[in-house]
Amino acid sequence: MKAAILLLLREADLPDLLPTLHNFEDKFNRAFRYPYVMLSTPDDPPLSAEFRAEVGWMLPAGATVEYEQVEEEHWRIPDWLNATTVREGFVRQEGEGVQYGGREGYHHMCRFYSGLFARQQVLQKYDWYWRLEPGVRFYCRISYDPFRFLALRNQVYGFVVTIVESANTIPSLFSTLSQYMSSSNIHPASGTFWRFLTRTKHDSPRGEYNMCHFWTNFEIGDLRFFRDQAYQSVFDSLDRQGGFYTERWGDAPVRSLALGLLVETDRVHYFEDFAYKHDYFMHCPRGKLGCE
């Protein structure tokens, strides 16, 4: 498949990245040889020659790695917001206990992965991406191609873990999306999927968000879907409202709600057979052989 393994990295990530690459190659990519796209941000210098050499030594001979920097316009406070006011808001968010709310780079990252990632020039030749994070680990061998698996089933997205979002990071996200739906006369593609993400609220025909989301530090997705006008229109409408900065909207709830709005339930797949760990969260398959 025309697919790539996508990572967003800083120089300081190298100690966590190397064991992740070793594990990922062992459990999956040694057999499939998909290329890596490693992005750095405009906040940092391009990844150094020493960094690239260490990565090269860890990967099999002949592995393809593309190094690019996120486009400058995709990693800054947008022009329609007052940067001084926004940065004052970061201080307020930190004081109010909003997780990562005081980190400007984290706001950029959430906005980037919510929609701008699919516009990166380096990804235009690919149809699929697998998001990989330094520090993650897979515990079972993956013996089939998940890109091909999704393509054959006409699916656009795959996940492993779902968790509940912190409510203080997205106080106005759902109401903002609801306003977009009303103004654009858009209705959820699947009532079943929408009910998975919402709960009844007596004064709202769309209910309210139940805070459940796909945990996007692992995701496999169809870049053609995320580049398409339907998804990008949802992202752009949210982006213009500024909540990635005036609040701390995460890419995980944005991704989940957009999928819930735009696709049928059966176009999203739960990779239950992937044993995956990130930070304190881990998923273990039931009764699968070939696992640690």
Side-chain angles (χ1 to χ4, degrees):
M1 305 296 291
K2 293 164 60 178
I5 313 304
L6 177 64
L7 302 99
L8 181 64
L9 300 164
R10 301 165 298 179
E11 191 83 16
D13 289 325
L14 186 63
D16 290 328
L17 173 65
L18 293 178
T20 291
L21 291 176
H22 181 270
N23 167 254
F24 186 72
E25 286 288 326
D26 179 57
K27 293 293 184 277
F28 170 72
N29 206 37
R30 182 178 298 166
F32 292 93
R33 306 303 296 269
Y34 278 109
Y36 293 88
V37 173
M38 298 192 177
L39 298 176
S40 55
T41 78
D43 288 345
D44 302 300
L47 297 169
S48 69
E50 292 79 9
F51 184 104
R52 300 181 190 204
E54 291 280 353
V55 168
W57 292 328
M58 180 58 66
L59 295 176
T64 299
V65 184
E66 296 182 83
Y67 292 95
E68 293 288 345
Q69 200 163 50
V70 173
E71 296 168 27
E72 181 76 34
E73 64 181 290
H74 295 160
W75 200 267
R76 58 177 170 80
I77 297 169
D79 295 340
W80 54 87
L81 298 176
N82 183 301
T84 299
T85 303
V86 164
R87 291 189 173 105
E88 290 171 351
F90 295 159
V91 176
R92 173 186 53 77
Q93 290 178 39
E94 185 172 31
E96 292 174 353
V98 176
Q99 189 176 29
Y100 309 129
R103 301 185 190 177
E104 181 171 332
Y106 199 87
H107 290 266
H108 293 323
M109 183 275 293
C110 291
R111 178 179 181 240
F112 174 78
Y113 266 130
S114 290
L116 298 173
F117 78 100
R119 304 179 189 178
Q120 300 303 293
Q121 189 60 42
V122 68
L123 293 178
Q124 298 310 300
K125 59 182 172 289
Y126 297 113
D127 293 338
W128 297 89
Y129 74 99
W130 180 332
R131 180 171 165 184
L132 190 65
E133 299 280 341
V136 307
R137 185 171 178 85
F138 294 85
Y139 288 89
C140 298
R141 198 165 301 282
I142 301 167
S143 57
Y144 64 94
D145 186 335
F147 300 117
R148 183 165 174 78
F149 177 88
L150 294 177
L152 290 173
R153 294 159 59 96
N154 192 33
Q155 295 178 307
V156 298
Y157 192 75
F159 71 97
V160 172
V161 174
T162 57
I163 62 173
V164 176
E165 182 63 302
S166 301
N168 66 352
T169 65
I170 54 168
S172 71
L173 173 59
F174 189 72
S175 62
T176 303
L177 179 62
S178 296
Q179 291 168 11
Y180 168 75
M181 293 166 64
S182 295
S183 63
S184 304
N185 195 28
I186 293 176
H187 303 281
S190 166
T192 303
F193 198 169
W194 195 246
R195 285 192 296 272
F196 172 71
L197 296 166
T198 60
R199 55 190 171 210
T200 303
K201 187 178 181 183
H202 71 277
D203 59 348
S204 169
R206 295 191 178 87
E208 62 182 4
Y209 183 33
N210 63 17
M211 302 293 166
C212 182
H213 63 68
F214 306 122
W215 211 29
T216 50
N217 51 66
F218 169 94
E219 58 180 1
I220 299 175
D222 186 336
L223 282 163
R224 295 160 297 185
F225 170 78
F226 291 112
R227 286 192 290 253
D228 188 68
Q229 181 181 358
Y231 183 90
Q232 288 293 320
S233 292
V234 172
F235 167 73
D236 283 337
S237 71
L238 296 174
D239 195 27
R240 294 296 303 185
Q241 299 306 309
F244 291 108
Y245 295 97
T246 59
E247 298 176 10
R248 205 235 68 197
W249 294 353
D251 54 288
V254 169
R255 176 90 76 252
S256 303
L257 286 167
L259 284 163
L261 175 62
L262 297 174
V263 303
E264 301 285 343
T265 314
D266 60 6
R267 299 197 72 196
V268 172
H269 181 70
Y270 171 33
F271 283 106
E272 193 276 336
D273 54 332
F274 285 18
Y276 172 77
K277 183 179 181 182
H278 182 105
D279 291 339
Y280 302 107
F281 294 89
M282 182 174 183
H283 167 69
C284 284
R286 293 172 295 176
K288 185 183 177 186
L289 300 177
C291 299
E292 298 170 22

